[in-house]
Amino acid sequence: MEDSEMVKQVLVHQRMGSFEDIVRKYSGMVFSKALGIVKDEELAKEISQQTFIKAYTRLGSWSGKGTLGAWLSSIALHLALNHLDKARRRRTQALEHDFPDTPYSDEHEEKLLQMEAAVNALPEQDRQIIRLHYYKGVKTDDIARQLNLSQANVLVRLHRIREHLKSTIKAQDHDR
């Protein structure tokens, strides 16, 4: 059945089976679009569901020009980008909350350089764990999968790495 006919069946004849056909036909494409943007399967599933809910409530606004798949893909794209933007703003607000009155200073810059040097001096896998977790915001279970480790191992290593970095920075400060 053509996209326009399925939409007509839903809008005019109130046939929910036709909307289920739309979901079946396009769910893989919508999921792939969301996953390509958010890089998280569970989140991509959630965005896919939101896409079809939004599409159902706005089905009458589909112009019928182009494919229904392109329209659904556009909805998924916007929902995924909105999610990433909200997540970025939450991280920024959290950082501002953690460091509300930390103005730029030479001392602060020196601490950052010390930390970067200490991170660069770590063994390669420890550097990867730190960069994935803190620089890229990757969750520990995802790090474990990427590095072929257990999540418990990643958590323990993160703790040990942080302690090592603290002691390294403290020793550098003491030597001055």
Side-chain angles (χ1 to χ4, degrees):
M1 186 181 306
E2 293 290 318
D3 291 345
S4 57
E5 182 58 32
M6 287 189 286
V7 170
K8 181 180 176 184
Q9 290 295 320
V10 175
L11 293 175
V12 176
H13 304 292
Q14 304 292 309
R15 294 203 176 113
M16 288 306 298
S18 292
F19 191 74
E20 291 170 8
D21 292 340
I22 292 170
V23 172
R24 269 192 293 280
K25 183 175 180 180
Y26 291 110
S27 62
M29 181 206 60
V30 167
F31 175 77
S32 294
K33 177 60 110 180
L35 182 61
I37 296 167
V38 298
K39 310 286 192 245
D40 179 288
E41 283 188 33
E42 289 303 312
L43 184 55
K45 287 178 188 175
E46 185 178 320
I47 289 170
S48 296
Q49 288 178 338
Q50 291 172 1
T51 297
F52 286 108
I53 291 168
K54 192 169 197 169
Y56 180 75
T57 62
R58 298 193 176 150
L59 201 54
S61 69
W62 178 56
S63 67
K65 296 175 184 171
T67 67
L68 186 60
W71 184 69
L72 291 168
S73 183
S74 175
I75 294 171
L77 169 72
H78 285 95
L79 288 171
L81 291 175
N82 285 343
H83 175 81
L84 290 179
D85 187 49
K86 286 178 187 174
R88 180 192 52 77
R89 279 187 268 135
R90 278 193 301 269
R91 282 193 304 272
T92 301
Q93 288 169 349
L95 286 174
E96 289 169 355
H97 176 73
D98 290 344
F99 306 105
D101 298 320
T102 308
Y104 173 82
S105 69
D106 289 338
E107 182 181 337
H108 184 72
E109 183 69 22
E110 181 62 32
K111 288 280 187 204
L112 289 173
L113 291 172
Q114 282 180 309
M115 181 59 74
E116 188 63 30
V119 168
N120 287 334
L122 293 170
E124 176 59 29
Q125 195 168 49
D126 290 351
R127 270 196 319 271
Q128 281 183 301
I129 291 170
I130 289 294
R131 288 191 173 126
L132 286 169
H133 188 66
Y134 289 106
Y135 296 14
K136 294 185 178 180
V138 178
K139 297 176 184 173
T140 55
D141 58 331
D142 293 329
I143 293 170
R145 261 186 254 113
Q146 286 182 29
L147 300 179
N148 203 22
L149 301 168
S150 70
Q151 184 177 12
N153 188 267
V154 170
L155 290 169
V156 168
R157 289 179 75 168
L158 271 171
H159 174 73
R160 289 180 181 162
I161 294 166
R162 281 191 298 262
E163 293 303 312
H164 173 74
L165 290 171
K166 284 180 196 174
S167 66
T168 300
I169 299 296
K170 194 179 245 184
Q172 288 175 355
D173 288 344
H174 183 71
D175 290 343
R176 287 180 182 198

